[in-house]
Amino acid sequence: FAAEHIKPMVDPRFKAEKLLKYLEDSVPVPVQAPKTPRTLAKLQGVSSTTDSEFLRPLQRVALQAVEQISEQQKTLLTVCSGIALDLGTECKERGMVMDRIKNTSASWVGRLCDLVRQLAADAARVQEEKKKLQAALVQREADVKKAEKRHQASLLNEADMHGKRNILQQRIVALEREVQAAHSTNAAERALA
């Protein structure tokens, strides 16, 4: 009777087998990148503006995988805590090792999940900044085109003014010759008279 009270209620092997079965059944589906025209365009050496269309599904898949891993981690930690307690009643050192493994894996997975979340947030922020910069670039290009048109118009206007100035200059020279010829004729007529 006393041995039954000391012995754990559920055998650690049973818990371990149950945990292994759970882990085998809940293996995450491998994540594949969504196929977009960007992949084809990149292979052909053509730049594409579909980066955000390509990255949003990847971010969504990554965040879903993180949530799935977090849920599995909670279950794993719960079962490992139970196994560590059960092993600790049989052998203190094995219980401590199991507890240390549980804490270490929880720390690693937690940091990995935090990193994925941070990178997804950074990617979203970068995409927004990229959109703003692209809009500013489009505006700048429009301003440059307007300036180029004004410059071309001013060059045409300058050429037109230069042509008109040359015409007027030639008329002035012709009028001066006529005036000079008229003075010469008047002076010759006065000298004869």
Side-chain angles (χ1 to χ4, degrees):
F1 180 75
E4 281 186 51
H5 289 288
I6 295 173
K7 185 178 178 184
M9 295 298 281
V10 178
D11 185 25
R13 286 187 183 176
F14 176 74
K15 285 184 179 180
E17 287 173 4
K18 197 171 182 182
L19 177 61
L20 287 173
K21 177 75 172 137
Y22 170 76
L23 292 174
E24 288 173 3
D25 292 344
S26 64
V27 172
V29 178
V31 176
Q32 292 186 357
K35 301 200 186 247
T36 65
R38 178 181 181 263
T39 308
L40 181 60
K42 191 170 187 179
L43 290 175
Q44 295 174 345
V46 178
S47 65
S48 176
T49 59
T50 60
D51 286 342
S52 60
E53 294 171 10
F54 179 71
L55 291 176
R56 280 191 198 113
L58 284 179
Q59 288 172 332
R60 206 174 314 117
V61 167
L63 291 174
Q64 288 171 351
V66 164
E67 294 308 316
Q68 182 182 9
I69 289 169
S70 295
E71 289 301 315
Q72 289 177 345
Q73 178 72 7
K74 288 176 188 174
T75 304
L76 179 68
L77 292 177
T78 303
V79 174
C80 284
S81 294
I83 291 173
L85 284 174
D86 292 343
L87 285 175
T89 59
E90 292 177 7
C91 175
K92 182 180 177 183
E93 288 79 16
R94 283 192 284 168
M96 289 172 54
V97 167
M98 188 63 178
D99 194 45
R100 178 74 50 95
I101 290 171
K102 174 195 72 133
N103 291 336
T104 303
S105 69
S107 172
W108 289 348
V109 170
R111 283 188 276 174
L112 179 62
C113 290
D114 290 344
L115 178 64
V116 170
R117 286 183 188 112
Q118 181 64 39
L119 290 176
D122 289 347
R125 183 180 44 77
V126 166
Q127 286 175 4
E128 289 303 315
E129 288 178 14
K130 180 182 175 184
K131 284 181 185 178
K132 289 177 185 176
L133 289 174
Q134 284 176 335
L137 179 63
V138 167
Q139 181 62 39
R140 179 74 62 185
E141 288 173 350
D143 292 344
V144 166
K145 285 182 182 179
K146 285 180 185 177
E148 285 175 352
K149 286 181 182 179
R150 283 192 304 249
H151 180 68
Q152 289 294 333
S154 68
L155 287 176
L156 289 174
N157 194 15
E158 181 183 344
D160 187 41
M161 296 295 256
H162 191 352
K164 288 179 180 178
R165 186 188 66 114
N166 286 342
I167 291 171
L168 291 174
Q169 188 75 28
Q170 289 173 359
R171 286 177 89 189
I172 290 171
V173 169
L175 286 173
E176 284 178 351
R177 284 186 192 149
E178 285 179 22
V179 167
Q180 194 175 26
H183 280 295
S184 308
T185 310
N186 280 345
E189 285 179 3
R190 280 192 205 151
L192 289 177

